[in-house]
Amino acid sequence: MNVLAVMLGGFFGAVCRYALGEWLPTTNGFPLGTLLINLIGCIFLGWFLTFVSQKKTIRPEFTLIIGTGFIGSFTTFSTFSVETIHLFQEGLVFLALLYVLATTILGLLLAFLGRKLALSHKEKGDVV
């Protein structure tokens, strides 16, 4: 059953990633689409996993469907890695370094922000 949950979420995450990647342009060789997709995934996963950990009524299958399946296939470390290597090979060293730093620093900050957002709802007693 867990494998089916991951597969279901993975299917929809991959489709959304593809659609958003097609819609977002690559600008001057910079892979803006992958960067934005991964950053969206960081803030959402930071929020979602923190939110789920606070709610004892949410079934573990939803974490597999949404966290592992959907976000796991929506975001992509492998594409980030290949695009970074491509930028270096094309001599676009500044863009490659910018891409690595933006992905890493902004990704961590957004995951932290997502976590803080989920915790702030707990502190306020809000129902989400």
Side-chain angles (χ1 to χ4, degrees):
M1 191 60 153
N2 289 346
V3 172
L4 290 175
V6 173
M7 286 173 54
L8 179 65
F11 170 78
F12 288 106
V15 169
C16 287
R17 180 188 178 282
Y18 174 77
L20 192 54
E22 288 293 306
W23 184 67
L24 294 169
T26 297
T27 308
N28 297 325
F30 189 81
L32 182 61
T34 304
L35 175 64
L36 292 177
I37 286 166
N38 286 337
L39 294 179
I40 290 166
C42 287
I43 192 167
F44 181 77
L45 192 62
W47 174 84
F48 178 73
L49 292 179
T50 304
F51 176 77
V52 167
S53 73
Q54 297 172 40
K55 305 291 181 190
K56 305 303 179 211
T57 57
I58 296 177
R59 297 180 54 169
E61 292 84 6
F62 287 113
T63 302
L64 289 175
I65 291 170
I66 297 170
T68 304
F70 184 85
I71 295 299
S73 66
F74 180 71
T75 59
T76 174
F77 185 76
S78 56
T79 301
F80 157 73
S81 300
V82 169
E83 289 172 343
T84 301
I85 290 168
H86 179 75
L87 288 170
F88 276 117
Q89 288 175 334
E90 292 296 314
L92 302 170
V93 175
F94 176 76
L95 285 181
L97 293 174
L98 179 66
Y99 188 36
V100 169
L101 290 173
T103 299
T104 306
I105 294 169
L106 292 175
L108 289 169
L109 287 173
L110 287 172
F112 178 76
L113 178 62
R115 180 172 164 70
K116 294 298 279 181
L117 288 171
L119 291 172
S120 71
H121 286 288
K122 180 182 178 184
E123 293 167 3
K124 294 177 185 174
D126 293 344
V127 177
V128 178

